[in-house]
């Protein structure tokens, strides 16, 4: 279960707070997956008591105004930090993985593809095993339900977190001659990005996920008892 | 709980923070968890709050989800004073008694803050079991006495008290400045979650 509470002493009206929360939730907690299971109790709540306000005029109310936009973005970044901590936990996760899907007609479709990769048990076990099994990634893209995908426009890369050269695995539907030693080097890192370029649009989406670890199995094998 | 944090996760747990004004917080052990670990968190605001929340879209919404949504709707997202959270038992798929227990939790905190229907409730843990409500009510009273304003230790207790299978407590805080008014404000956030995580809240 995900539970998240953020409290602030910012002065903000209820409609503006609602707007900011919805925006932030979509880009933070609704963009993570550990195991693909949705709980009965997931809740993300925010309370704002206005204690930081010196005067009544400082209340954030105008959802087009600069102060609202900054508050909304601060909240989104803050919530994203918390959401990422959940993925870094992952009941013993050893990898923190960003799934970045680009070149898609709509954000929703990009999210759908990212979500399918992020919840593939075989992708997640390969990540744990540090196996550059890009075939599993591609397979997940293919059954994501996004019908506009054109196989020979799809490219897949591993982007290492240390800023070193990315590793191309598949380019425009053709497999690269993958340097397995370099692939292992990247997969040994705690953090990496799997970038998928679909080449059929201009939208993109990110999801954060982790690997499946032995600890995950052990914890969930007898949680109730 | 914090003593059990694995070495490779310790850097993710803050040792200090800057917390918002006007919130008293604490976490205690009330007896839901059998191992003596903290299992009840309380956050109480000195002033009435505007509030908003998103909830699971799972068809089987737990009692605290239904109740908190109802309270937010009834109050139009205003005059909320507190959040109470227990871990160890999710109070999910618990029928009428589950709703009654969630309401008892909310009402007990609201009574202590002297503001009716002003407390949101969250629960996490095992599904399909009833809350040991007497232990929780006692815990709420202990927590209300103990809650302190803005201390890092208090916030850490809150983060620990909502943990279930989490490997480490999740707490963040920060200070921000708005561009037009120049107002500086603070935020504090706690989260829990490790497994059964693929939220789609609305």
């Amino acid at each position: 279960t995900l539970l998240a509470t953020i409290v602030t002493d910012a002065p903000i009206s209820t409609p503006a707070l609602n707007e900011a929360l919805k925006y932030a939730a979509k880009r933070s907690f609704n963009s993570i997956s550990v195991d693909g299971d949705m709980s009965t109790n997931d809740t993300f709540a925010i309370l704002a008591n206005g204690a930081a306000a010196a005067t009544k005029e400082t209340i954030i109310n105008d959802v087009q105004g600069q102060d609202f936009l900054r508050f909304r973005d601060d909240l989104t970044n803050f919530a994203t930090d918390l959401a990422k901590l959940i993925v870094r936990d992952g009941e013993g996760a050893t990898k923190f993985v960003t799934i970045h899907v680009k070149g898609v007609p709509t954000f929703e479709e990009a999210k759908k593809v990212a979500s399918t990769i992020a919840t593939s048990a075989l992708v997640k076990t390969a990540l744990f095993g540090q196996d550059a099994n890009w075939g599993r990634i591609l397979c997940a893209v293919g059954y994501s339900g996004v019908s506009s995908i054109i196989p020979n426009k799809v490219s897949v890369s591993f982007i290492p977190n240390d800023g070193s050269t990315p590793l191309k695995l598949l380019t425009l539907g053709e497999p690269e001659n993958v340097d397995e030693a370099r692939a292992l080097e990247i997969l040994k890192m705690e953090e990496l990005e799997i970038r998928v370029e679909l080449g059929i649009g201009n939208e993109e989406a990110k999801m954060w996920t982790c690997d499946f670890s032995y600890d995950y199995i052990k914890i969930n094998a007898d949680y109730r008892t | 709980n914090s003593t059990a944090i694995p070495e490779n996760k310790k850097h993710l747990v803050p040792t200090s923070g800057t917390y918002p004004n006007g919130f008293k917080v604490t976490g205690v052990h009330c007896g839901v968890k059998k191992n003596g670990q903290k299992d009840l968190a309380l956050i109480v605001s000195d002033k009435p709050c505007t509030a908003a929340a998103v909830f699971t879209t799972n068809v089987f919404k737990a009692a605290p989800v239904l109740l908190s949504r109802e309270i937010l709707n009834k109050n139009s997202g205003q005059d909320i004073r507190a959040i109470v959270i227990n871990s160890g038992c999710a109070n999910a798929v618990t029928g009428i008694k589950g709703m009654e227990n969630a309401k008892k939790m909310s009402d007990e905190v609201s009574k202590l803050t002297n503001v009716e229907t002003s407390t949101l409730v969250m629960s996490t843990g095992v599904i399909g079991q009833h809350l040991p409500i007497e232990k929780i009510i006692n815990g709420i009273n202990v927590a209300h006495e103990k809650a302190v304003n803005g201390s890092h230790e208090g916030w850490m207790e809150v983060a620990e008290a909502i943990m279930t299978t989490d490997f480490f407590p999740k707490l963040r805080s920060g200070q921000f400045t708005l561009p037009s008014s120049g107002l500086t404000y603070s935020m504090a956030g706690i989260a829990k979650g490790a497994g059964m995580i693929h939220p789609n809240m609305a």
Side-chain angles (χ1 to χ4, degrees):
Chain A
T1 295
L2 161 83
L3 297 183
T5 298
I6 292 176
V7 303
T8 176
D9 51 17
I12 182 165
S13 70
T14 304
L17 190 64
N18 255 314
E19 191 74 21
L21 177 91
K22 278 190 283 181
Y23 184 93
K26 195 173 171 181
R27 288 158 181 81
S28 58
F29 297 111
N30 280 359
S31 290
I32 62 169
S33 183
V34 168
D35 50 21
D37 281 321
M38 187 200 295
S39 168
T40 51
N41 291 53
D42 292 336
T43 304
F44 169 29
I46 181 163
L47 301 189
N49 70 2
T55 64
K56 213 173 179 182
E57 287 70 51
T58 52
I59 290 176
I60 307 164
N61 192 31
D62 173 14
V63 295
Q64 307 295 329
Q66 276 189 4
D67 279 355
F68 171 78
L69 296 175
R70 176 66 66 84
F71 176 83
R72 184 196 68 181
D73 291 347
D74 287 343
L75 177 64
T76 303
N77 292 333
F78 195 81
T80 303
D81 275 353
L82 280 170
K84 287 179 177 176
L85 287 177
I86 290 169
V87 176
R88 288 180 193 280
D89 187 312
E91 290 178 341
T94 69
K95 299 274 180 272
F96 177 83
V97 184
T98 302
I99 312 285
H100 189 179
V101 179
K102 301 177 74 176
V104 190
T106 65
F107 170 80
E108 285 68 29
E109 287 171 312
K111 186 91 182 278
K112 206 170 176 182
V113 174
S115 178
T116 310
I117 300 167
T119 52
S120 161
L122 287 176
V123 169
K124 292 158 86 73
T125 48
L127 287 166
F128 179 72
Q130 301 173 353
D131 176 9
N133 197 329
W134 56 266
R136 292 179 179 176
I137 299 167
L138 200 69
C139 178
V141 173
Y143 68 74
S144 64
V146 175
S147 57
S148 52
I149 293 169
I150 301 165
N152 62 11
K153 288 194 171 182
V154 178
S155 300
V156 179
S157 311
F158 285 158
I159 315 291
N161 189 46
D162 63 357
S164 60
T165 313
L167 181 70
K168 290 181 178 179
L169 303 164
L170 180 88
T171 305
L172 299 172
E174 294 291 330
E176 294 280 352
N177 190 12
V178 176
D179 177 350
E180 289 291 343
R182 173 64 178 148
L184 184 61
E185 205 173 76
I186 295 173
L187 284 164
K188 274 186 173 170
M189 295 175 189
E190 199 182 320
E191 290 190 40
L192 76 143
E193 177 180 317
I194 296 173
R195 188 173 296 174
V196 177
E197 170 67 60
L198 294 188
I200 50 172
N202 297 312
E203 291 299 326
E204 58 184 290
K206 277 184 184 175
M207 277 199 73
W208 295 281
T209 190
C210 56
D211 56 345
F212 273 148
S213 64
Y214 293 135
D215 279 330
Y216 180 87
I217 305 292
K218 276 191 279 181
I219 287 167
N220 289 291
D222 65 353
Y223 177 56
R224 200 179 60 91
T225 51
Chain B
N1 302 2
S2 56
T3 52
I5 301 168
E7 215 39 59
N8 65 341
K9 305 285 184 188
K10 277 188 175 160
H11 68 286
L12 300 169
V13 183
T15 52
S16 64
T18 308
Y19 298 99
N21 289 319
F23 288 97
K24 289 193 177 77
V25 299
T26 194
V28 298
H29 169 69
C30 74
V32 185
K33 287 182 182 167
K34 294 183 181 81
N35 54 11
Q37 290 182 335
K38 294 183 191 74
D39 50 19
L40 187 86
L42 186 64
I43 301 171
V44 181
S45 172
D46 295 343
K47 299 170 76 176
C49 298
T50 53
V54 283
F55 302 99
T56 182
T57 47
N58 193 311
V59 168
F60 293 100
K61 290 173 183 57
V65 167
L66 295 170
L67 181 74
S68 294
R69 195 174 62 177
E70 190 182 305
I71 289 170
L72 277 177
N73 285 339
K74 193 177 169 191
N75 290 23
S76 305
Q78 289 174 7
D79 299 325
I80 299 298
R81 295 294 289 264
I83 295 184
V84 60
I85 309 169
N86 79 273
S87 60
C89 174
N91 192 11
V93 202
T94 44
I96 294 166
K97 191 176 171 189
M99 277 303 285
E100 286 170 358
N101 284 341
K103 194 164 182 316
K104 280 180 188 170
M105 283 177 73
S106 173
D107 287 350
E108 187 67 18
V109 180
S110 296
K111 195 173 80 185
L112 292 167
T113 58
N114 296 315
V115 187
E116 226 174 279
T117 326
S118 63
T119 305
L120 305 182
V121 183
M122 299 183 197
S123 298
T124 178
V126 179
I127 294 172
Q129 291 182 0
H130 287 296
L131 290 172
I133 193 65
E134 291 308 321
K135 289 178 180 174
I136 287 183
I137 297 297
N138 289 340
I140 286 171
N141 282 277
V142 170
H144 189 258
E145 286 293 313
K146 189 178 170 239
V148 290
N149 215 325
S151 84
H152 176 70
E153 289 70 29
W155 277 104
M156 274 305 295
E157 285 175 2
V158 171
E160 288 179 1
I162 66 172
M163 288 166 67
T164 51
T165 55
D166 300 58
F167 274 53
F168 62 93
K170 296 156 188 77
L171 168 66
R172 285 291 178 267
S173 65
Q175 209 162 49
F176 308 88
T177 301
L178 298 175
S180 283
S181 62
L183 179 81
T184 297
Y185 70 94
S186 301
M187 260 196 262
I190 44 140
K192 66 81 49 184
M196 199 180 271
I197 296 291
H198 189 93
N200 185 21
M201 299 176 289

